[in-house]
Amino acid sequence: MSSARRPLLTATAAATLLGALWFVPSANATSDSPVRDAVAASPSPQVAEQARIAATTAGDTVTGTRLADTGSFDSTPYVLGGTLFLTLGAGFVAYSVRRERLGL
């Protein structure tokens, strides 16, 4: 490998690594909402309503029990980014094997 291509290869590898790390989810333990100073003395109306519903449906059968809809996150950017960088890595491997077999 010529010495002129070595910095380009290093820059490409660094950019690939940074691009892959872009898709790693953050593990922040803080919330986006401000912290309340005082604790509420009485439960909120939503909590009271949920407790009332839970108490009335406690005798339901297993088939009548429904789980809460918590939603899901959009995983599309992670799938696309992972696919892109997996393809890029496979391309680098194929290029290296090709160069080695041709004796360049």
Side-chain angles (χ1 to χ4, degrees):
M1 174 182 279
S2 74
S3 61
R5 289 189 187 181
R6 193 162 299 170
L8 181 61
L9 183 62
T10 303
T12 303
T16 303
L17 179 63
L18 288 174
L21 289 176
W22 179 271
F23 291 97
V24 175
S26 174
N28 293 336
T30 60
S31 69
D32 293 333
S33 62
V35 178
R36 288 192 261 173
D37 292 336
V39 177
S42 62
S44 68
Q46 290 88 4
V47 172
E49 181 67 25
Q50 287 175 356
R52 201 174 305 116
I53 291 171
T56 58
T57 60
D60 285 352
T61 62
V62 174
T63 57
T65 304
R66 293 177 28 184
L67 297 175
D69 182 17
T70 58
S72 64
F73 66 97
D74 184 18
S75 62
T76 304
Y78 299 107
V79 172
L80 293 177
T83 303
L84 172 77
F85 289 109
L86 181 65
T87 304
L88 185 64
F92 279 140
V93 169
Y95 178 71
S96 297
V97 168
R98 180 177 165 263
R99 285 182 54 93
E100 182 179 337
R101 286 187 181 168
L102 293 176
L104 296 176

